[in-house]
Amino acid sequence: MPHKKEEVKDELYGDEVREKLEEFAAKGWESIPEDEREEWFTRFKFWGIFHQRSGQESYFMLRLTNCGGVLEPGQLRAIGEVARDYARGPAENPEFGNGWIDFTTRQSIQLHWLKLEDIPEIWEKLESVGVSSRSAGGDTMRNVTGCPVAGKAEEYVETRELLDEIQAEIRDDDALCNLPRKFNISVTGCRQGCAQDSINDVGLEPARKLVDGEAVRGFNVRVGGGLGGREPRAARPLDLFVRPEHATETVRAFVELYHEEGDRENRSKNRARFFVDEWGTDEIREALDERLEFEFETAGTDFRGEYTYNAGEPSEHGAHDHVGVYDQKDGRNYVGLSVPVGRMPAEDAVELADAYGSGEVRLTRRQNPLLMDVPDGELANLLNEDLLEEYKPEPNPFVQGAMACTGTEFCSIALTETKTRTARLLRWLGDNVELPDDVDRIKLHYSGCTADCGQAMTADIGMQGMRARKDGEMVEAMDVGVGGGVGEDPSFIEWVRQRVPADEVPGMIANLLEAYAALREDGQTLSEWVDATGHETIVELAEPEEVDGYEDPCLNDAKQSWYPFADGESPASTDAEGQPISADD
């Protein structure tokens, strides 16, 4: 029997939702019938509109989409202006204030504290410069990810036009909008592995195939990767090589197969990774062969041995991310900025949009922006800008490696606060833990729950939100693991300690890293040291403890508050101007 959400979507979903959403916006929050709100919130997600959590009833998040992380000139400015003018809540965050943007792990942007009544005006402003929120959430294809510098840097297979083709021909097709669950597509033509094909539902990775003695460039196909629910899977190879001219139709064929055959009954087991578990790669390959007209070729030689993006490799082997100054193939430069936990005040986003270069900005899968097309003659002036003191191209190793999901600040399923806590953790580690000179990145990923939106499972040190008792009280806590990465042989973290009270996690990480610095062999990365040291020893070295100088922002269960950083009762529900709606009306 189909899940009840399937009935909701069957009644109305996809592009048709927009008209109804605009009707509600015109009439105000209260026009959504209270007993139908959950159904409408399910539908709104397709247009990137996510209702925030309990106590924030009339406030919404807006997630945007921009294929492959590309923001054309003028687009970041428009997004920043929307955040400045509309994304302001009734309480300030102690680290970030009010009015900011969040860079995401799928190369896009989220805005919070939006009023439903403002959504049509926001759409008008964003869409006037080509920014969309269509298909940004819900049971549909999410933002297509790729190498963020596709078309600007060297690729073995050029992918910029291919990414746009997949966007236009597959994601924009309303007939495919209602999938069993959300679905992630990645395509990369570079040799660094930065699109992270191994954790996507379908991923195309660059490969070469010898045909009549000549090397043909194309892609190997992998399917069924993902992280959530403590049941991670690395995407599995289909033993299928596709040439660039067949890439889009191959992706479409797998999307259609999942659309038609995916489980619509059990939402805890209907992601594409479980679909691949059930069918197996051989049967999926056969099904695709029946749907596609070109002659199949077995997999070519890939470049996984050269992957360096979040791969646990020494820095001299290649870039771990896109933070820093890099050459473009046209002789200009791009400059990758490190944004702590991916959050940037609106005013900074507007200023960044007007910085040096062409005005084009690209976004990475590690919550960071890249300024594109900077001539050599402008590079020194850019690097001397005050803005880059905050968002450094060469930050400390903890900031550069950090990512964090939304957490209980706005997410209804998270168990712990994440962004503010991580910002304080990074500051404390930077001030108190000394690493060897050759260690320039420690990848600390924090997810507020096991859904793992912060990709903790792929981190050097991964943290997932939990609860625990400390001194007789319920507190926010974390499960902490080590040893993840998405390189040649993708690996997921092995849990070291579980339900560690949040105020003892900084001490635990410091103890582990101090042991690493003291006991490692020359040049050994944290990932390599973890593998060589063994799990039992790591557990002994990673002792939790409280530390001086670290004050946890939300130790006593922030989810019980309407907003973790505000005292008193929630002002929600509020009207279009943000004023509380009287219960007597």
Side-chain angles (χ1 to χ4, degrees):
M1 182 176 180
H3 191 277
K4 61 182 181 180
K5 285 197 174 183
E6 291 300 320
E7 297 177 9
V8 171
K9 293 187 295 176
D10 284 344
E11 290 177 8
L12 183 71
Y13 205 61
D15 288 340
E16 294 179 355
V17 171
R18 178 158 172 156
E19 182 177 349
K20 191 64 180 179
L21 196 153
E22 289 173 333
E23 285 181 23
F24 286 131
K27 296 177 182 178
W29 156 260
E30 286 191 301
S31 67
I32 307 175
E34 189 169 354
D35 61 348
E36 297 178 11
R37 283 178 182 167
E38 289 306 313
E39 287 85 353
W40 285 112
F41 295 161
T42 292
R43 298 180 179 115
F44 289 176
K45 289 178 181 179
F46 177 82
W47 278 97
I49 308 296
F50 288 72
H51 181 246
Q52 292 180 180
R53 67 177 182 86
S54 177
Q56 303 169 7
E57 279 79 14
S58 55
Y59 291 96
F60 291 80
M61 175 189 86
L62 175 64
R63 180 182 294 152
L64 308 176
T65 67
N66 47 295
C67 178
V70 176
L71 290 173
E72 296 174 354
Q75 292 183 336
L76 181 60
R77 165 172 271 281
I79 294 168
E81 290 173 346
V82 166
R84 180 195 65 201
D85 298 339
Y86 297 96
R88 309 188 71 87
E92 288 200 353
N93 180 290
E95 288 286 328
F96 306 102
N98 215 336
W100 25 258
I101 68 175
D102 280 346
F103 297 112
T104 78
T105 59
R106 288 203 69 81
Q107 298 182 283
S108 196
I109 289 173
Q110 295 178 172
L111 306 174
H112 289 279
W113 289 126
L114 300 178
K115 304 294 295 180
L116 182 67
E117 294 86 348
D118 292 330
I119 294 300
E121 290 181 20
I122 291 170
W123 272 338
E124 183 178 3
K125 182 174 181 65
L126 295 177
E127 291 171 355
S128 70
V129 295
V131 176
S132 175
S133 66
R134 183 191 181 278
S135 191
D139 295 343
T140 187
M141 290 167 276
R142 302 296 180 84
N143 200 48
V144 180
T145 61
C147 175
V149 291
K152 299 287 187 177
E154 294 298 332
E155 299 174 273
Y156 183 73
V157 187
E158 293 186 1
T159 59
R160 187 60 256 162
E161 291 184 5
L162 175 57
L163 287 161
D164 291 338
E165 190 174 283
I166 290 172
Q167 169 72 34
E169 297 186 16
I170 306 177
R171 278 195 78 235
D172 286 350
D173 186 348
D174 201 46
L176 294 175
C177 73
N178 180 8
L179 294 169
R181 284 295 295 276
K182 67 178 180 180
F183 190 93
N184 295 325
I185 300 170
S186 74
V187 180
T188 186
C190 74
R191 302 183 188 220
Q192 287 75 43
C194 55
Q196 301 187 146
D197 61 86
S198 59
I199 57 173
N200 282 271
D201 296 305
V202 58
L204 302 184
E205 61 176 350
R208 59 178 178 266
K209 184 87 173 174
L210 282 178
V211 179
D212 297 329
E214 292 188 10
V216 176
R217 301 187 183 203
F219 304 95
N220 287 343
V221 184
R222 292 178 180 261
V223 295
L227 298 178
R230 291 287 173 90
E231 296 187 83
R233 302 284 192 280
R236 282 141 281 182
L238 287 183
D239 189 23
L240 174 61
F241 175 84
V242 297
R243 303 178 186 224
E245 60 267 28
H246 299 308
T248 299
E249 59 186 301
T250 302
V251 172
R252 183 182 183 94
F254 184 64
V255 172
E256 290 176 339
L257 180 66
Y258 177 62
H259 180 269
E260 296 166 15
E261 303 292 344
D263 184 353
R264 293 183 183 266
E265 298 178 4
N266 183 355
R267 288 185 68 81
S268 67
K269 288 287 185 181
N270 67 353
R271 291 295 304 274
R273 63 183 184 274
F274 301 120
F275 176 69
V276 175
D277 287 350
E278 180 182 352
W279 277 51
T281 53
D282 289 344
E283 188 171 348
I284 289 173
R285 193 180 194 278
E286 291 175 7
L288 296 183
D289 196 9
E290 293 176 1
R291 292 166 179 259
L292 294 165
E293 296 183 358
F294 62 89
E295 185 176 346
F296 273 18
E297 300 175 88
T298 56
T301 303
D302 61 47
F303 298 95
R304 300 186 83 80
E306 300 179 31
Y307 279 12
T308 56
Y309 193 90
N310 192 24
E313 294 285 329
S315 294
E316 59 265 24
H317 290 186
H320 291 213
D321 49 43
H322 292 84
V323 174
V325 180
Y326 298 89
D327 296 333
Q328 294 181 185
K329 62 183 181 181
D330 62 3
R332 293 180 290 181
N333 309 274
Y334 72 87
V335 180
L337 308 184
S338 184
V339 177
V341 300
R343 180 165 287 178
M344 178 179 284
E347 292 80 2
D348 289 354
V350 172
E351 184 177 348
L352 186 68
D354 294 333
Y356 298 82
S358 65
E360 181 176 315
V361 175
R362 303 281 184 100
L363 307 180
T364 79
R365 292 203 60 164
R366 297 195 58 82
Q367 302 180 318
N368 291 314
L370 316 178
L371 303 181
M372 308 304 296
D373 309 320
V374 181
D376 288 344
E378 295 182 2
L379 192 57
N381 288 337
L382 171 60
L383 297 176
N384 285 325
E385 286 284 340
D386 291 343
L387 192 66
L388 270 67
E389 280 299 306
E390 179 68 23
Y391 311 112
K392 298 179 179 179
E394 295 182 358
N396 75 46
F398 304 110
V399 171
Q400 179 146 350
M403 298 201 305
C405 77
T406 298
T408 51
E409 188 175 11
F410 301 111
C411 179
S412 62
I413 66 172
L415 296 175
T416 62
E417 196 282 330
T418 54
K419 296 273 191 185
T420 298
R421 175 174 286 128
T422 305
R424 293 186 179 182
L425 170 63
L426 297 177
R427 238 184 349 260
W428 186 88
L429 291 172
D431 291 340
N432 292 277
V433 177
E434 189 171 342
L435 294 172
D437 290 341
D438 64 324
V439 178
D440 57 4
R441 295 163 176 85
I442 297 291
K443 294 182 179 62
L444 290 160
H445 299 180
Y446 185 10
S447 291
C449 70
T450 60
D452 207 23
C453 298
Q455 301 182 5
M457 298 297 293
T458 68
D460 290 330
I461 301 174
M463 302 165 284
Q464 286 188 350
M466 290 289 163
R467 304 285 177 83
R469 287 203 171 271
K470 179 173 181 174
D471 300 329
E473 294 186 2
M474 187 66 71
V475 298
E476 296 200 354
M478 302 179 214
D479 288 355
V480 184
V482 297
V486 289
E488 179 179 8
D489 297 306
S491 61
F492 303 117
I493 57 172
E494 190 169 1
W495 298 108
V496 176
R497 300 270 183 169
Q498 295 185 309
R499 288 174 167 74
V500 180
D503 63 339
E504 298 178 24
V505 171
M508 175 185 173
I509 293 173
N511 289 334
L512 177 66
L513 292 177
E514 286 166 0
Y516 163 61
L519 301 175
R520 72 193 282 259
E521 296 180 2
D522 288 344
Q524 200 170 37
T525 68
L526 180 59
S527 179
E528 292 168 340
W529 177 75
V530 165
D531 287 342
T533 301
H535 185 70
E536 291 184 6
T537 301
I538 294 292
V539 172
E540 293 176 5
L541 294 172
E543 182 69 27
E545 65 171 308
E546 294 181 21
V547 292
D548 293 334
Y550 174 81
E551 181 180 350
D552 196 86
C554 303
L555 186 60
N556 293 308
D557 202 359
K559 194 164 187 177
Q560 299 307 308
S561 166
W562 74 273
Y563 187 63
F565 314 110
D567 296 325
E569 294 185 2
S570 165
S573 301
T574 57
D575 62 20
E577 283 72 43
Q579 298 301 312
I581 297 171
S582 171
D584 297 329
D585 289 349

